[in-house]
Amino acid sequence: MDLQDRLTAARHRIQEACRRSGRNPEELRIIAITKYTTLEVTEQILQLGVSDIGESRWQDARTKWQTLGALGTWHFIGHLQTNKVKDVVGKFDYIHSLDRLSLAEEIEKKAAALQTAVNCFIQVNVSGEQTKQGVSPEGLFTFAEQIAGMEHLRIAGLMTMAPHEADPEATRPVFKRLRELRGELNARSVLKYEVTGLSMGMSNDFEVAVEEGATWLRLGSVLFGS
Ligand SMILES: *Cc1c(COP(=O)(O)O)cnc(C)c1O
């Protein structure tokens, strides 16, 4: 299968998951995770109409962004060290890995200096795995309160990574919990505005994530091969 075929197949699977769960496919966007692909392949996926591009390290993203930056919307999905914030703010439209106060403070500072706002997803470690980043579900509300006054951060939603499961169905409780946490965050009015986004679902488990309400799917290997 070539890239076009794999994209068509993934879109079909998303549509089927939407149909099963009574969702409108227009509520969802695919972010093509290009971290393991070349500049040429990244250009191809843009040409195929996927305009959201995700990368997890600035070193790997740099050439792609410098060449293709204006053609898409850029998402930073990897763990972000505080000293790398300067590379990302002003270039990436979304940061999916906001997971600690020191990082929020640094993004706020850099965004203020550039007089821009940065869309951020708060990463939540729903599964509690030691190897995963993110605030704990219990710590989410305190964290959101701490950053609520930061005028250059716009909280676009919540993000999580489910454990890799042989049976994707096993990830469902993780995605369901993230959706419930979004509801609770809004019900408590921790932020001055409603938080709408759910960044969840990867190649192995995106259909389950769609069924549980994902609005942003982060797809790598299902599009580009492994
Ligand atoms: C690499 C990566 C993805 C894409 O993973 P695939 O399994 O290849 O779809 C999604 N989200 C994050 C945070 C990643 O690091």
Side-chain angles (χ1 to χ4, degrees):
M1 276 208 286
D2 67 7
L3 186 56
Q4 170 79 78
D5 293 336
R6 285 194 297 261
L7 177 60
T8 303
R11 283 197 167 131
H12 181 72
R13 288 169 63 188
I14 292 166
Q15 269 163 15
E16 286 299 299
C18 283
R19 197 182 45 75
R20 285 195 296 278
S21 51
R23 295 194 61 202
N24 179 353
E26 291 183 4
E27 296 168 6
L28 267 128
R29 292 184 73 85
I30 295 175
I31 305 171
I33 306 301
T34 52
K35 63 188 180 193
Y36 298 131
T37 75
T38 60
L39 174 67
E40 289 69 30
V41 173
T42 305
E43 191 167 11
Q44 276 173 31
I45 196 81
L46 284 163
Q47 280 163 357
L48 291 172
V50 178
S51 58
D52 289 278
I53 302 293
E55 285 278 337
S56 58
R57 287 154 49 103
W58 170 241
Q59 300 94 293
D60 301 336
R62 182 200 299 264
T63 309
K64 294 170 195 161
W65 185 85
Q66 285 168 347
T67 314
L68 307 168
L71 301 178
T73 300
W74 293 71
H75 298 256
F76 193 89
I77 60 161
H79 177 64
L80 186 52
Q81 288 169 276
T82 309
N83 65 357
K84 297 283 164 59
V85 168
K86 61 178 183 323
D87 298 330
V88 168
V89 170
K91 301 187 183 77
F92 285 75
D93 305 280
Y94 290 84
I95 295 173
H96 289 246
S97 47
L98 178 59
D99 62 355
R100 58 196 191 280
L101 187 58
S102 58
L103 178 60
E105 286 167 345
E106 189 63 19
I107 297 171
E108 170 67 14
K109 199 168 97 190
K110 291 286 183 288
L114 292 178
Q115 298 187 317
T116 187
V118 184
N119 301 300
C120 294
F121 289 85
I122 300 174
Q123 183 170 357
V124 187
N125 186 359
V126 176
S127 67
E129 288 171 287
Q130 296 283 339
T131 52
K132 292 228 160 40
Q133 313 285 342
V135 300
S136 67
E138 303 73 39
L140 170 63
F141 305 104
T142 305
F143 181 62
E145 271 168 32
Q146 287 170 328
I147 64 177
M150 297 184 182
E151 307 250 313
H152 302 83
L153 290 194
R154 206 175 294 131
I155 304 306
L158 304 180
M159 179 276 214
T160 201
M161 285 173 84
H164 187 93
E165 300 279 1
D167 176 9
E169 188 56 36
T171 62
R172 189 177 298 277
V174 171
F175 298 141
K176 181 167 180 279
R177 183 89 179 99
L178 197 72
R179 172 163 48 79
E180 290 167 352
L181 288 168
R182 180 188 61 181
E184 211 174 319
L185 192 63
N186 287 327
R188 294 192 194 189
S189 302
V190 181
L191 298 160
K192 287 173 240 149
Y193 46 88
E194 194 189 357
V195 167
T196 55
L198 289 177
S199 169
M200 60 188 198
M202 303 172 33
S203 294
N204 185 54
D205 51 27
F206 68 92
E207 288 152 299
V208 181
V210 169
E211 290 172 10
E212 292 301 330
T215 64
W216 295 94
L217 304 174
R218 306 182 311 268
L219 303 183
S221 51
V222 75
L223 299 179
F224 302 112
S226 39

